[in-house]
Amino acid sequence: MKLDQMVRNVYPNLMPYTCSLADLPVEEMKQALGRDQVYKLSFNENPLGPSPKAIEAMQKSLQQLNLYPSSAGEAVLNKIAAKEGVRPENVILSNGADEMIILVAQTFLEPDDEAIIPEICFVQYLASTHLMGATPVFSPMKEDLGIDLEGALQKITEKTKVIFLCNPNNPTGTAIPEEDLKAFIARVPENVLVVIDEAYHEFADGDGYASSVELVKDYANVFVIRTFSKIYSLAAARIGYGIGQAALVDAVNHVRPPFNVNSIAQAGALASLDDAEHVAASRQSNRIGKELLCKTLDALGLPYLKSQTNFVCVDTKRDGKEVFDRLAERGFIVRTLAGYGLKSSLRISIGRPEEMEAFVQAFKEVMQN
Ligand SMILES: *Cc1c(COP(=O)(O)O)cnc(C)c1O
């Protein structure tokens, strides 16, 4: 069997998910480092864990594991629709936001189409573009590492089918100013889909950020992606959703597998949406941890980007990998950004306040030696 002659043409562009230290589950990190305690600050997870109400609902759902889940997830769609001020037919569920990115790519991207992707952005847009055999076109970042919308507009050609944006952006943590985004959407041709990944929407506060769900009402070519993995803390359950005009959602539903979101995840999402207190507590914990980290960075004189998320992108002014290794020796796993050309920068997820107390001690030790 000649596998290399059998796989699709796009195969050389596809990569298995890497499992370097920063990508491991925390138990495997402990093993790899030979430590009892490891602080996983590499995945932007909610350190508080899911809402107790969600855990209870998920446990209850186990008793019906013999039954197929609701295909569309009507109950969850209805609840999201009510919360976001849209109709259920404007919402579609996916197996995490990651799957939604793939579903959008499968719905719209043909080989020969182009997808515009900001240079410093979440990596799955690139992977899904490659999966479909379409051509990724990178748009530049602004000098302050914000997404350059003017730069993205200039990359539009007759072949452009999709523009991927992430707001607030991962891994920079910064938001696109509301007015800029509005003006941008108004200038994008209506035959180009603008996908706006709002994985960190619930953490954002102020500084001009606004969700693009409002824009969905006026623009048939805007599709917003959200996830339950971040503030709702259901990363392992795998559930996300998209919001767009009914025709757009219907198009994506043509490629969605029938039972893509399992019933445990649906039960957890439903209960999570009802627990506003847990969301508020998560935001509060994040705010405290982030302030502590930023104060330390200020004291060390290290530049960092103003974050609207649950992570901070900092310029260590040293080799990022070296700082990463020295933090890892102390049991703190963060993320290097050399893959984006940011060789001296790290992305640090916000842990619980007491975890951040421990982190800043270790970080000071590393940076002052
Ligand atoms: C974490 C993340 C996702 C993936 O979310 P899942 O729902 O867990 O697949 C998507 N987009 C961005 C920007 C993220 O940071």
Side-chain angles (χ1 to χ4, degrees):
M1 195 165 81
K2 295 249 179 188
L3 267 183
D4 54 346
Q5 290 168 20
M6 294 165 67
V7 292
R8 294 171 57 222
N9 289 337
V10 300
Y11 183 81
N13 287 327
L14 308 180
M15 233 48 99
Y17 190 69
T18 58
C19 269
S20 64
L21 186 56
D23 302 309
L24 296 176
V26 71
E27 288 309 316
E28 290 174 34
M29 281 179 179
K30 286 179 188 172
Q31 270 179 16
L33 291 170
R35 297 180 64 96
D36 294 337
Q37 191 177 25
V38 167
Y39 298 79
K40 186 185 179 193
L41 304 176
S42 55
F43 255 89
N44 305 340
E45 292 152 328
N46 181 346
L48 300 192
S51 152
K53 288 175 187 152
I55 294 174
E56 199 186 319
M58 293 166 95
Q59 273 167 344
K60 212 162 147 200
S61 79
L62 295 179
Q63 282 154 21
Q64 297 208 315
L65 228 45
N66 57 319
L67 304 177
Y68 280 94
S70 160
S71 172
E74 253 92 16
V76 186
L77 294 187
N78 289 339
K79 193 154 283 213
I80 291 169
K83 186 163 183 282
E84 298 297 330
V86 297
R87 286 171 301 137
E89 53 268 38
N90 297 121
V91 190
I92 173 173
L93 300 186
S94 58
N95 195 272
D98 278 357
E99 190 199 34
M100 192 63 80
I101 297 163
I102 295 172
L103 293 180
V104 167
Q106 288 178 328
T107 308
F108 293 100
L109 292 178
E110 305 266 23
D112 220 33
D113 286 343
E114 292 176 355
I116 297 174
I117 304 170
E119 252 168 18
I120 300 179
C121 210
F122 189 57
V123 74
Q124 291 306 320
Y125 317 134
L126 178 63
S128 296
T129 299
H130 278 318
L131 178 66
M132 301 314 297
T135 306
V137 175
F138 289 106
S139 65
M141 306 303 286
K142 293 196 291 190
E143 210 167 314
D144 64 3
L145 297 188
I147 289 176
D148 181 357
L149 296 175
E150 196 56 46
L153 280 175
Q154 284 171 11
K155 294 288 180 184
I156 295 175
T157 71
E158 274 168 16
K159 291 181 171 182
T160 306
K161 191 70 82 60
V162 178
I163 301 174
F164 288 103
L165 298 176
C166 186
N167 189 37
N169 190 27
N170 180 6
T172 58
T174 56
I176 302 169
E178 179 181 7
E179 293 310 314
D180 295 1
L181 190 53
K182 269 192 185 162
F184 168 79
I185 304 270
R187 289 172 64 194
V188 173
E190 58 188 15
N191 60 345
V192 173
L193 180 70
V194 182
V195 174
I196 303 164
D197 184 342
E198 295 185 354
Y200 300 95
H201 163 74
E202 298 86 354
F203 284 109
D205 48 6
D207 264 8
Y209 167 81
S211 169
S212 294
V213 168
E214 274 302 308
L215 297 177
V216 162
K217 289 165 190 159
D218 293 332
Y219 295 96
N221 61 333
V222 171
F223 191 66
V224 175
I225 296 180
R226 299 267 185 86
T227 178
F228 284 91
S229 294
K230 301 289 155 60
I231 205 155
Y232 293 110
S233 205
L234 294 176
R238 313 303 304 137
I239 176 165
Y241 59 97
I243 298 182
Q245 289 195 1
L248 178 51
V249 164
D250 181 59
V252 182
N253 257 322
H254 279 65
V255 302
R256 182 180 66 81
F259 304 108
N260 60 329
V261 180
N262 69 72
S263 50
I264 307 171
Q266 291 188 28
L270 207 53
S272 294
L273 287 168
D274 277 337
D275 196 345
E277 261 173 54
H278 190 69
V279 170
S282 301
R283 284 172 62 99
Q284 170 77 346
S285 168
N286 186 61
R287 197 180 53 72
I288 294 169
K290 191 157 64 176
E291 271 175 18
L292 186 64
L293 175 60
C294 291
K295 237 196 282 173
T296 304
L297 299 176
D298 285 334
L300 291 169
L302 296 177
Y304 58 90
L305 300 173
K306 180 102 180 58
S307 163
Q308 302 244 15
T309 61
N310 62 341
F311 57 85
V312 174
C313 180
V314 54
D315 184 354
T316 66
K317 304 264 185 192
R318 300 191 192 181
D319 179 33
K321 180 68 171 81
E322 188 201 313
V323 179
F324 173 92
D325 287 339
R326 294 179 62 195
L327 286 168
E329 279 167 23
R330 290 161 172 81
F332 297 90
I333 307 299
V334 298
R335 192 165 286 282
T336 56
L337 298 173
Y340 295 103
L342 304 175
K343 290 198 176 68
S344 58
S345 294
L346 295 174
R347 191 194 74 185
I348 302 164
S349 305
I350 306 300
R352 278 180 276 116
E354 60 272 27
E355 293 175 312
M356 295 318 284
E357 294 275 5
F359 175 79
V360 297
Q361 285 315 318
F363 191 66
K364 277 191 239 169
E365 234 176 78
V366 167
M367 295 309 296
Q368 286 169 348
N369 287 295

